[in-house]
């Protein structure tokens, strides 16, 4: 019903502007699109976040905040004031921005260009653009390379992308670098806490962060499913981390 109504309204807008010259019609429709960009007010324990959602799929996380991943919200609320959070696989940035609104230092990584752009706009809308550093790149195991992000949909908010599987409907070139390599090359502030949700290459990212994990990281909250469920606990245990909790697919590890 919603999609049918949206198409009907779009058709009405085109009819209403059909008498305009092509350039003026295009400009008017573009302004209409900007005026109807969905801004979702998300109540949080740190105050209201204003999330700008340029696609229907991007509405999913803001409207599910606190219900879809309550353990993630509770973990971010528990982080100390001096925490430096790296959100790896940040999508449109909801949890990264929540952490930044709580006053934490945040670095967010999202290789999908559309989701990254939505995160940047929401950071600006909330006045958090100087508290969160966002990077449109993929973290992995290698010291540095150009990878291809394969996506069933490039629209903001979509997930289940991959830089390891075969061709999908849309492919985007992205720079890829390991956590250790990123810190060494750019002098980035190392994380004390990591939130990791990248749909399949979590083990590779952890291998590329071995030095950082051993030297700086206190806790890792990682979404575990599929083959990664067998590799990740062992990989983290070898670096001195023990599983202490979490819920659902999100599991929490702390360095002893």
């Amino acid at each position: 019903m919603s999609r049918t109504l949206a198409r009907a309204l779009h058709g009405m807008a085109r009819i209403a502007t059909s008498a305009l010259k092509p350039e003026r019609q295009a400009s008017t429709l573009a302004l209409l699109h900007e005026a109807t960009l969905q801004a979702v007010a998300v109540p949080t324990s740190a105050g209201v976040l204003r999330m700008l959602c340029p696609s229907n799929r991007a509405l999913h996380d803001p409207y599910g905040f606190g219900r879809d991943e309550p353990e993630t919200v509770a973990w971010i609320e528990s982080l100390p004031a001096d925490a430096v959070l790296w959100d790896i696989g940040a999508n449109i940035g909801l949890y990264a921005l929540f952490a930044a609104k709580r006053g934490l230092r945040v670095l967010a990584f999202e290789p999908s260009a559309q989701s990254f752009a939505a995160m940047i706009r929401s950071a600006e809308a909330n006045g958090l653009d100087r508290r969160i550093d966002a990077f449109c790149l993929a973290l992995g195991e290698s010291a540095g390379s150009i990878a291809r992000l394969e996506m069933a949909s490039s629209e903001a908010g979509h997930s289940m992308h991959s830089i390891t599987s075969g061709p999908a409907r849309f492919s985007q070139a992205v720079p890829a670098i390991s956590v250790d390599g990123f810190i060494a090359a750019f002098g980035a502030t190392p994380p004390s806490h990591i939130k990791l949700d990248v749909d399949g290459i979590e083990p590779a990212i952890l291998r590329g962060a071995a030095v950082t994990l051993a030297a700086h990281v206190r806790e890792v909250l990682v979404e575990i499913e599929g083959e990664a469920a067998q590799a990740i606990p062992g990989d983290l245990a070898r670096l001195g981390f023990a599983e202490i909790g979490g819920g659902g697919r999100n599991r929490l590890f702390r360095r002893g």
Side-chain angles (χ1 to χ4, degrees), residues 191-192 212-220 236 239-242 244 253-256:
S192 62
T212 301
L213 286 164
H216 301 286
V217 179
R218 304 175 205 165
E219 292 181 346
V220 179
L236 286 171
L239 292 169
F241 287 81
I244 62 168
F253 297 83
R254 178 179 294 160
R255 183 154 54 93

Side-chain angles (χ1 to χ4, degrees), residues 19-37:
L20 299 175
K21 293 181 179 180
E23 182 178 352
R24 180 59 61 86
Q25 182 188 35
S27 176
T28 302
L29 291 173
L31 290 169
L32 176 63
H33 172 73
E34 292 176 9
T36 56
L37 177 67

Side-chain angles (χ1 to χ4, degrees), residues 105-173:
R105 183 80 174 87
V106 181
L107 282 74
F109 300 84
E110 174 52 53
S112 168
Q114 298 276 18
S115 293
F116 175 80
M119 173 166 49
I120 291 295
R121 292 202 63 184
S122 291
E124 179 185 7
N126 288 279
L128 296 171
D129 45 303
R130 295 191 181 277
R131 183 162 289 279
I132 177 172
D133 290 337
F135 302 92
C136 190
L137 57 81
L139 292 175
E141 187 173 3
S142 68
S145 64
I146 298 297
R148 300 212 68 86
L149 183 67
E150 301 293 338
M151 297 177 276
S153 174
S154 63
E155 291 292 335
H158 278 273
S159 58
M160 303 306 293
H161 306 323
S162 175
I163 62 172
T164 58
S165 64
R169 191 181 70 84
F170 180 77
S171 181
Q172 174 194 326

Side-chain angles (χ1 to χ4, degrees), residues 11-198:
M12 291 170 61
R14 294 194 67 85
I15 292 171
T17 58
S18 60
L20 299 175
K21 293 181 179 180
E23 182 178 352
R24 180 59 61 86
Q25 182 188 35
S27 176
T28 302
L29 291 173
L31 290 169
L32 176 63
H33 172 73
E34 292 176 9
T36 56
L37 177 67
Q38 294 303 295
V40 180
V42 182
T44 79
S45 58
V48 175
L49 274 174
R50 185 166 176 259
M51 299 300 297
L52 302 184
C53 301
S55 70
N56 179 53
R57 182 59 180 79
L59 296 167
H60 177 269
D61 284 354
Y63 278 117
F65 183 79
R67 182 185 68 245
D68 293 342
E69 295 189 29
E71 67 283 350
T72 301
V73 174
W75 179 67
I76 292 174
E77 290 175 332
S78 76
L79 298 184
D82 65 345
V84 178
L85 174 65
W86 280 32
D87 188 351
I88 302 174
N91 203 283
I92 64 168
L94 175 61
Y95 296 104
L97 290 170
F98 172 47
K101 194 167 182 65
R102 286 195 64 247
L104 305 182
R105 183 80 174 87
V106 181
L107 282 74
F109 300 84
E110 174 52 53
S112 168
Q114 298 276 18
S115 293
F116 175 80
M119 173 166 49
I120 291 295
R121 292 202 63 184
S122 291
E124 179 185 7
N126 288 279
L128 296 171
D129 45 303
R130 295 191 181 277
R131 183 162 289 279
I132 177 172
D133 290 337
F135 302 92
C136 190
L137 57 81
L139 292 175
E141 187 173 3
S142 68
S145 64
I146 298 297
R148 300 212 68 86
L149 183 67
E150 301 293 338
M151 297 177 276
S153 174
S154 63
E155 291 292 335
H158 278 273
S159 58
M160 303 306 293
H161 306 323
S162 175
I163 62 172
T164 58
S165 64
R169 191 181 70 84
F170 180 77
S171 181
Q172 174 194 326
V174 295
I177 190 171
S178 67
V179 170
D180 292 340
F182 185 78
I183 293 171
F186 300 106
T189 305
S192 62
H193 296 76
I194 291 176
K195 174 184 171 290
L196 178 58
D197 179 3
V198 292

